[in-house]
Amino acid sequence: MRTKHAQAADHFIHESPSPKAQHNAAIHLRRKRDVAANELQEFEELRTRASEIKKHTLTHLDQYLEEFEKNALANGVQVHWAVDGNEMNARVYEILKKNEVPYIVKSKSMLTEECGLNHFLEEQGMEVYDTDLGERIVQLAHEPPSHIVVPAMHKTREEISALFHDTMNTEAGNLDAKYLTLSARKDLRQRFMNAKAAVTGVNFGVAETGTVTICTNEGNADLGVNKAPVQIHCMGIEKLIPRQEDLGVFIRLLARSATGQRITTYTSHYQKPRAGSEMHLILVDNGRSHHLGMEDFWEALKCIRCGACMNTCPVYRSGGGHSYGYAVPGPIGSIIAPARNFEEYDDLPFASSLCGSCSAVCPVKIDIHGQLLKWREVIVEEGEVDTKKSLPMKVGSWILSRPSWYRRAGKWARKLLSWFPGIARKTVNDWTKGRELPEPPNESFREWYLKTRKNEENE
Ligand code: SF4
């Protein structure tokens, strides 16, 4: 097992100019989510309903995909299937080439991040303009997003101001958020106006109508799609829901869980091409069918990408989104990534305190920390855990299952810790880096309890 996440998180904490920015922004969103959730009496009911709808859809996915395709084709949409990221990228490129498109405007899509679409198109000599403000910031900084909803969460206003000065020649040192936002808007305006193609992700695909729903706060997806004569929507096959009426459940949960809003500013539904335009829909598997077949982990495909599990996760908030090294970071990314590439990401299930806060906020009730624990079992069974970790676990398991040995071990541990307080620090155990152990007590709880009860009985 590699320890890439731990090293990258350590680097972020010690080398990043603003490790606190990520923490503060995430905790702010978590608080807003709580306020929004608490003001809705039926919030828990909605979570249960959403979880059931997703379970039903995923267990009948073949049927709903066929229904979705049939209805989309009947609407005049050109439907394409992509078995993996390479195929998705190739389909997008073919469409763009056929229409002699020199550049695209693209709204936020974690699927295109996952498949490396920007990089692929740029290699073919095509320009890509990310139009979501956060995405544009990280694109200009040549960085991947650090959060699925707030891609530039790790950046401070000072960093963004300097970046815009370097790349867009804005006024040096101007930290006014409105000025910076308007500068980015102005910079993108002409790209929107002259774009021949717009690419988007998809939040929900409705099987009953063959419609795709896209939620944004900036209207950038809508501006691109309504202006360009070619619109391309890239959709992971797990994004389906059966009926139009199911949408209400998810729309009410998504924004509340993501940013604490009651609804995203723009919730747009695309059903057919405008007159004289083309509408393409690319349905992408890229490991999802394989993942769906994993008995212990398929539930992660219910995810609606709200980011709430990231905002609440103490490991994500401290170590930063880039430390995961996968398009979807945080607790849910730590389940999905090893399902897609076990060798590459088998350290991620350990990037969690297993506190369960992620599961408590997830709007589709995924047992996130349960699945992370299950992944750890798989990784141990596969022999991927190094001896430094597995040996103490074996010894611990042996001692914990033998009460007399447990009591003896506790006594010796208390003595050792009081004689040599530094014994557990740094060199012996990574976990104690940056943490102070409390003073060891003179007696165990059991000893204290027996003594106290005896005293009480004698009184
Ligand atoms: S796992 Fe749940 S909380 Fe995390 S992003 Fe997905 S839907 Fe949101």
Side-chain angles (χ1 to χ4, degrees), residues 260-396:
Q261 292 165 270
R262 289 178 182 163
I263 191 165
T264 41
T265 314
Y266 299 87
T267 301
S268 305
H269 312 273
Y270 295 100
Q271 189 161 25
K272 53 184 170 188
R274 301 186 318 277
S277 301
E278 289 181 14
M279 176 169 168
H280 296 264
L281 180 58
I282 306 182
L283 293 164
V284 186
D285 188 316
N286 203 33
R288 285 157 176 78
S289 297
H290 171 70
H291 189 172
L292 189 58
M294 300 174 94
E295 203 182 334
D296 292 319
F297 304 110
W298 69 270
E299 228 199 316
L301 290 165
K302 289 179 177 177
C303 175
I304 58 170
R305 304 285 191 266
C306 71
C309 58
M310 289 153 217
N311 301 335
T312 202
C313 176
V315 176
Y316 172 88
R317 288 201 308 261
S318 306
H322 289 156
S323 58
Y324 294 80
Y326 185 66
V328 179
I332 188 65
S334 302
I335 301 171
I336 297 173
R340 304 287 161 80
N341 187 339
F342 182 75
E343 281 73 32
E344 182 71 19
Y345 299 111
D346 66 354
D347 62 328
L348 290 186
F350 294 89
S352 167
S353 65
L354 297 185
C355 64
S357 186
C358 44
S359 308
V361 297
C362 177
V364 284
K365 287 197 164 177
I366 300 171
D367 177 19
I368 302 172
H369 70 296
Q371 294 206 0
L372 288 170
L373 188 57
K374 188 74 204 169
W375 259 129
R376 293 187 188 184
E377 279 176 32
V378 173
I379 292 159
V380 171
E381 276 163 21
E382 292 283 321
E384 293 292 328
V385 175
D386 65 29
T387 332
K388 202 173 152 199
K389 195 173 253 178
S390 61
L391 188 64
M393 285 295 160
K394 277 190 190 137
V395 174

Side-chain angles (χ1 to χ4, degrees), residues 11 30 57 87 99 118 159 185 198 200 213 233 237 264 276 282 302 311 375:
H11 181 80
R30 164 70 214 256
T57 320
E87 216 169 276
N99 286 280
N118 284 20
E159 289 172 85
R185 186 173 184 251
T200 79
T213 301
H233 306 283
I237 54 173
T264 41
I282 306 182
K302 289 179 177 177
N311 301 335
W375 259 129

Side-chain angles (χ1 to χ4, degrees), residues 24 26 41 51 55 58 77 146-147 161 182 200 212-213 245 264 300 344 364 372 376 398 415 429 431 453:
N24 293 342
Q41 244 183 357
S51 186
K55 180 178 178 184
L58 289 167
V77 178
S146 64
H147 190 280
S161 172
L182 286 177
T200 79
V212 293
T213 301
E245 69 176 43
T264 41
E344 182 71 19
V364 284
L372 288 170
R376 293 187 188 184
W398 193 88
K415 277 189 202 302
N429 185 352
W431 194 86
R453 199 171 68 174

Side-chain angles (χ1 to χ4, degrees), residues 83-245:
V83 73
D84 58 18
N86 292 339
E87 216 169 276
M88 186 199 84
N89 295 342
R91 290 284 163 280
V92 173
Y93 184 59
E94 269 168 32
I95 300 165
L96 300 177
K97 209 165 162 218
K98 193 175 124 231
N99 286 280
E100 297 177 359
V101 173
Y103 72 87
I104 60 164
V105 284
K106 184 164 83 64
S107 65
K108 183 141 61 64
S109 153
M110 295 323 295
L111 176 62
T112 59
E113 283 295 331
E114 176 189 320
C115 299
L117 178 68
N118 284 20
H119 184 62
F120 173 80
L121 291 179
E122 281 159 5
E123 272 184 355
Q124 315 307 314
M126 189 161 287
E127 286 176 89
V128 178
Y129 293 96
D130 276 313
T131 57
D132 170 272
L133 180 59
E135 285 271 322
R136 185 71 181 139
I137 293 168
V138 291
Q139 185 182 36
L140 289 171
H142 304 290
E143 290 173 15
S146 64
H147 190 280
I148 59 175
V149 175
V150 191
M153 182 180 257
H154 58 292
K155 292 228 171 285
T156 61
R157 204 181 293 191
E158 287 75 10
E159 289 172 85
I160 295 167
S161 172
L163 177 71
F164 280 13
H165 174 67
D166 291 344
T167 54
M168 290 190 282
N169 202 24
T170 54
E171 196 181 303
N174 193 327
L175 302 181
D176 181 51
K178 192 170 174 187
Y179 166 75
L180 295 171
T181 308
L182 286 177
S183 305
R185 186 173 184 251
K186 198 170 149 201
D187 185 61
L188 283 171
R189 193 81 187 164
Q190 278 317 307
R191 326 266 190 213
F192 273 122
M193 291 302 121
N194 300 322
K196 285 193 172 156
V199 176
T200 79
V202 170
N203 290 92
F204 305 101
V206 183
E208 178 184 54
T209 57
T211 315
V212 293
T213 301
I214 301 168
C215 305
T216 72
N217 273 327
E218 298 168 24
N220 55 313
D222 307 86
L223 187 53
V225 165
N226 285 297
K227 189 73 188 60
V230 178
Q231 65 189 86
I232 305 172
H233 306 283
C234 300
M235 174 178 148
I237 54 173
E238 84 284 18
K239 291 292 178 83
L240 270 191
I241 54 171
R243 294 173 302 271
Q244 184 74 14
E245 69 176 43

